[in-house]
Amino acid sequence: MNRQILVVEDEAPIREMITFVLEQNGFNAIEAEDFDQAKEKVVEPYPDLILLDWMLPGGSGVKLAKMLKQNEYTRSIPIIMLTARADEEDKVRGFDVGVDDYVTKPFSPKELIARIKAVIRRVAPTALEEAIEFHGMKLDPVAHRVSINDSNIDLGPTEFRLLHFFMTHPERVYSREQLLDNVWGTNVYVEDRTVDVHIRRLRKAITGAGHEDFIQTVRGSGYRFSGKIKASV
Amino acid sequence: MNRQILVVEDEAPIREMITFVLEQNGFNAIEAEDFDQAKEKVVEPYPDLILLDWMLPGGSGVKLAKMLKQNEYTRSIPIIMLTARADEEDKVRGFDVGVDDYVTKPFSPKELIARIKAVIRRVAPTALEEAIEFHGMKLDPVAHRVSINDSNIDLGPTEFRLLHFFMTHPERVYSREQLLDNVWGTNVYVEDRTVDVHIRRLRKAITGAGHEDFIQTVRGSGYRFSGKIKASV
DNA sequence: AGTTTTTGTGACAATTTTATGACATGGGTA
DNA sequence: TACCCATGTCATAAAATTGTCACAAAAACT
């Protein structure tokens, strides 16, 4: 299972060098040399990681990063930003956008590979495009459809994203704030309690379809999505 | 809840600058200027993050990093390595040791803070929270769940925190005051005896699930969490 | 044995946290 | 424009948690 890595870099020699190094190391490189090309390449099946040059003609890398990180489907693709040494400031701005790491040019091949591996290891990817099944409940991100035992249930966009997030992150408690960050997106000003309401709507849709409620309330902490738990008596 | 950050750096001006920046940004800095001092500072309560200079007198930073990363108790503390620009190779070696990130000198305060925050956000939540198992009782901080022989027992928030504290600090007696400090938080005005009540609730939940009581009363001193005790003869 | 000190327990009321129904808003569409 | 739907927010109901107390039980001490 080779990792697909999209290399967005306008300087051809550097781009080719990177591609070479990647393929030497068992990665699968896709190339793009500007904003528009990159946009075209970020489609299904999505790359597993993006190496993104900070300075791109016709639109900065940051702009692209921001765009990707705001899109529901591309948000979880890790991005490593390639920066020129000079401008420290840009690095920081890169972080604000949600970039996962950056590498300063010039960099050694070893360093690049080390960083890529580190990021991939860290981000723990779940392939976005694949249907997820969990205890008879199936969520198909492509068809944007949820079914329980082959009968469809319909959800609003937000409920869908919420369920999607939960299904890709089961067995783990998330606070309301974390859910807002992950499902609604960062820097969105919404009340904590709004999460409760959406949880309720989601629960209603699921249990209404005759399915067991897989969302557990963890008092004082948040909510958790998981399968049956043996209750203690 | 301020984060404790240990700054290990031999050059005083740099160290002080870092400390200043950290405290400006709401972090709590602890300083060390060499290997030995650093070793002394990495004790309970452990720092939340370590800024470690690559070049230290009397033992390199890498040596210290390696040591910390091999120790069971300090392994999960994120480390950011401070490196001199020149040697790219060292950076990579830093990664091999398990260092979580590095910053190349000279760096801007903004960048430093951004990296610290990124690392804490990234590393701390998962690394700090590995499941703890003790004689068939398992506590998973991530799932926020306690199970005994695979059947879940549910605890209130306070009982959960109390058990968590005990399981991370077994075989040691804690006075009621100490427990209040550690579980309830400092400067909280609560009666000593309240601890007794929570101990009882916790015991009830555990023994109620058919599990042996691992909390021992140490008369006149407090409570201790530990495995079976050999009866005295 | 009697007394004092310390801890265990059940009950309870106050407080905190969550569930739920209703409603207003705003975007999109016929 | 009128209508529909999704969404965020509130008010209120419901539920769970928590700190204390009073008293029982146990241990320590005279």
Side-chain angles (χ1 to χ4, degrees), chain B residues 44-67:
Chain B
E44 294 179 59
Y46 294 110
D48 294 293
L49 186 142
I50 299 174
L51 286 176
L52 179 56
D53 189 24
W54 147 248
M55 290 302 275
L56 284 180
S60 74
V62 164
K63 184 174 152 197
L64 180 59
K66 191 170 268 175
M67 207 191 75

Short mmCIF file of all heavy atoms in Angstrom, two decimals, chain B residues 44-67:
data_model
loop_
_atom_site.label_atom_id
_atom_site.label_comp_id
_atom_site.label_asym_id
_atom_site.label_seq_id
_atom_site.Cartn_x
_atom_site.Cartn_y
_atom_site.Cartn_z
N GLU B 44 8.70 14.24 39.56
CA GLU B 44 7.30 14.62 39.79
C GLU B 44 7.22 15.97 40.47
O GLU B 44 7.99 16.23 41.38
CB GLU B 44 6.62 13.59 40.70
CG GLU B 44 6.49 12.23 40.06
CD GLU B 44 5.84 11.27 41.04
OE1 GLU B 44 4.70 11.57 41.45
OE2 GLU B 44 6.47 10.27 41.39
N PRO B 45 6.27 16.79 40.12
CA PRO B 45 5.38 16.58 38.98
C PRO B 45 6.13 16.86 37.69
O PRO B 45 6.76 17.91 37.57
CB PRO B 45 4.28 17.61 39.20
CG PRO B 45 4.95 18.69 39.99
CD PRO B 45 6.02 18.05 40.80
N TYR B 46 6.09 15.98 36.79
CA TYR B 46 6.86 16.10 35.57
C TYR B 46 6.46 17.33 34.75
O TYR B 46 5.31 17.71 34.74
CB TYR B 46 6.68 14.85 34.70
CG TYR B 46 7.24 13.61 35.34
CD1 TYR B 46 6.39 12.63 35.81
CD2 TYR B 46 8.60 13.45 35.48
CE1 TYR B 46 6.89 11.47 36.41
CE2 TYR B 46 9.12 12.31 36.08
CZ TYR B 46 8.26 11.32 36.55
OH TYR B 46 8.76 10.21 37.14
N PRO B 47 7.46 17.93 34.09
CA PRO B 47 7.14 19.05 33.21
C PRO B 47 6.28 18.55 32.04
O PRO B 47 6.30 17.38 31.71
CB PRO B 47 8.51 19.53 32.72
CG PRO B 47 9.44 18.39 32.96
CD PRO B 47 8.91 17.66 34.14
N ASP B 48 5.55 19.47 31.45
CA ASP B 48 4.67 19.10 30.34
C ASP B 48 5.44 19.05 29.03
O ASP B 48 4.97 18.46 28.06
CB ASP B 48 3.54 20.11 30.23
CG ASP B 48 2.64 20.05 31.44
OD1 ASP B 48 1.97 19.03 31.61
OD2 ASP B 48 2.63 21.02 32.22
N LEU B 49 6.57 19.71 29.02
CA LEU B 49 7.35 19.75 27.79
C LEU B 49 8.78 20.15 28.14
O LEU B 49 9.02 20.84 29.14
CB LEU B 49 6.75 20.76 26.82
CG LEU B 49 7.34 20.87 25.42
CD1 LEU B 49 6.22 21.10 24.41
CD2 LEU B 49 8.34 22.00 25.31
N ILE B 50 9.73 19.69 27.35
CA ILE B 50 11.13 20.05 27.60
C ILE B 50 11.73 20.70 26.36
O ILE B 50 11.62 20.17 25.25
CB ILE B 50 11.95 18.79 27.98
CG1 ILE B 50 11.40 18.17 29.26
CG2 ILE B 50 13.43 19.15 28.14
CD1 ILE B 50 12.04 16.86 29.66
N LEU B 51 12.31 21.86 26.56
CA LEU B 51 13.09 22.52 25.51
C LEU B 51 14.54 22.17 25.77
O LEU B 51 15.08 22.53 26.82
CB LEU B 51 12.90 24.03 25.56
CG LEU B 51 11.56 24.56 25.06
CD1 LEU B 51 11.51 26.08 25.27
CD2 LEU B 51 11.39 24.23 23.60
N LEU B 52 15.15 21.48 24.85
CA LEU B 52 16.45 20.91 25.14
C LEU B 52 17.49 21.35 24.13
O LEU B 52 17.34 21.14 22.93
CB LEU B 52 16.31 19.37 25.11
CG LEU B 52 17.54 18.53 25.36
CD1 LEU B 52 18.17 18.89 26.70
CD2 LEU B 52 17.14 17.06 25.33
N ASP B 53 18.56 21.96 24.64
CA ASP B 53 19.63 22.39 23.75
C ASP B 53 20.45 21.18 23.29
O ASP B 53 20.76 20.29 24.08
CB ASP B 53 20.55 23.38 24.49
CG ASP B 53 21.54 24.02 23.53
OD1 ASP B 53 21.25 24.06 22.32
OD2 ASP B 53 22.61 24.45 23.99
N TRP B 54 20.77 21.19 22.03
CA TRP B 54 21.49 20.06 21.45
C TRP B 54 22.92 19.98 21.99
O TRP B 54 23.44 18.92 22.29
CB TRP B 54 21.45 20.21 19.93
CG TRP B 54 22.64 19.72 19.18
CD1 TRP B 54 23.55 20.47 18.50
CD2 TRP B 54 23.04 18.35 19.01
NE1 TRP B 54 24.49 19.67 17.92
CE2 TRP B 54 24.21 18.35 18.20
CE3 TRP B 54 22.54 17.14 19.43
CZ2 TRP B 54 24.87 17.20 17.83
CZ3 TRP B 54 23.21 15.98 19.06
CH2 TRP B 54 24.36 16.01 18.28
N MET B 55 23.56 21.13 22.14
CA MET B 55 24.92 21.16 22.65
C MET B 55 24.92 21.53 24.13
O MET B 55 24.70 22.67 24.48
CB MET B 55 25.76 22.17 21.87
CG MET B 55 26.04 21.75 20.44
SD MET B 55 26.90 20.16 20.32
CE MET B 55 28.61 20.73 20.53
N LEU B 56 25.20 20.59 24.93
CA LEU B 56 25.28 20.88 26.36
C LEU B 56 26.65 20.46 26.87
O LEU B 56 27.22 19.48 26.40
CB LEU B 56 24.22 20.09 27.13
CG LEU B 56 22.78 20.56 27.06
CD1 LEU B 56 21.90 19.63 27.89
CD2 LEU B 56 22.66 21.99 27.54
N PRO B 57 27.20 21.21 27.82
CA PRO B 57 28.48 20.80 28.39
C PRO B 57 28.26 19.55 29.24
O PRO B 57 27.21 19.37 29.85
CB PRO B 57 28.86 21.99 29.26
CG PRO B 57 27.55 22.64 29.62
CD PRO B 57 26.66 22.43 28.44
N GLY B 58 29.25 18.70 29.21
CA GLY B 58 29.20 17.51 30.08
C GLY B 58 28.14 16.51 29.71
O GLY B 58 27.56 15.84 30.54
N GLY B 59 27.86 16.40 28.46
CA GLY B 59 26.84 15.43 28.04
C GLY B 59 25.91 16.10 27.07
O GLY B 59 25.27 17.09 27.39
N SER B 60 25.78 15.57 25.90
CA SER B 60 25.01 16.24 24.88
C SER B 60 23.53 16.17 25.18
O SER B 60 23.07 15.36 25.97
CB SER B 60 25.27 15.59 23.53
OG SER B 60 24.61 14.35 23.49
N GLY B 61 22.79 17.04 24.53
CA GLY B 61 21.35 17.03 24.67
C GLY B 61 20.75 15.73 24.19
O GLY B 61 19.81 15.20 24.77
N VAL B 62 21.34 15.20 23.12
CA VAL B 62 20.82 13.95 22.58
C VAL B 62 20.90 12.84 23.62
O VAL B 62 20.00 12.04 23.77
CB VAL B 62 21.60 13.55 21.30
CG1 VAL B 62 21.34 12.08 20.97
CG2 VAL B 62 21.17 14.43 20.14
N LYS B 63 21.98 12.87 24.36
CA LYS B 63 22.16 11.85 25.40
C LYS B 63 21.01 11.94 26.42
O LYS B 63 20.42 10.93 26.80
CB LYS B 63 23.50 12.07 26.09
CG LYS B 63 23.86 11.01 27.13
CD LYS B 63 25.29 11.27 27.64
CE LYS B 63 25.47 10.75 29.06
NZ LYS B 63 26.67 11.34 29.70
N LEU B 64 20.73 13.17 26.79
CA LEU B 64 19.65 13.38 27.76
C LEU B 64 18.31 12.96 27.17
O LEU B 64 17.51 12.27 27.81
CB LEU B 64 19.60 14.85 28.18
CG LEU B 64 18.52 15.23 29.19
CD1 LEU B 64 18.68 14.44 30.48
CD2 LEU B 64 18.54 16.72 29.48
N ALA B 65 18.11 13.37 25.93
CA ALA B 65 16.85 13.02 25.28
C ALA B 65 16.67 11.52 25.23
O ALA B 65 15.60 10.98 25.56
CB ALA B 65 16.82 13.60 23.87
N LYS B 66 17.72 10.85 24.85
CA LYS B 66 17.66 9.40 24.76
C LYS B 66 17.31 8.79 26.11
O LYS B 66 16.46 7.91 26.23
CB LYS B 66 19.01 8.87 24.27
CG LYS B 66 18.99 7.41 23.88
CD LYS B 66 20.28 7.01 23.17
CE LYS B 66 20.18 7.16 21.67
NZ LYS B 66 21.44 6.92 20.95
N MET B 67 17.95 9.32 27.12
CA MET B 67 17.70 8.81 28.46
C MET B 67 16.23 8.99 28.86
O MET B 67 15.58 8.07 29.35
CB MET B 67 18.59 9.57 29.45
CG MET B 67 18.95 8.82 30.70
SD MET B 67 19.73 9.95 31.89
CE MET B 67 18.31 10.87 32.50
#
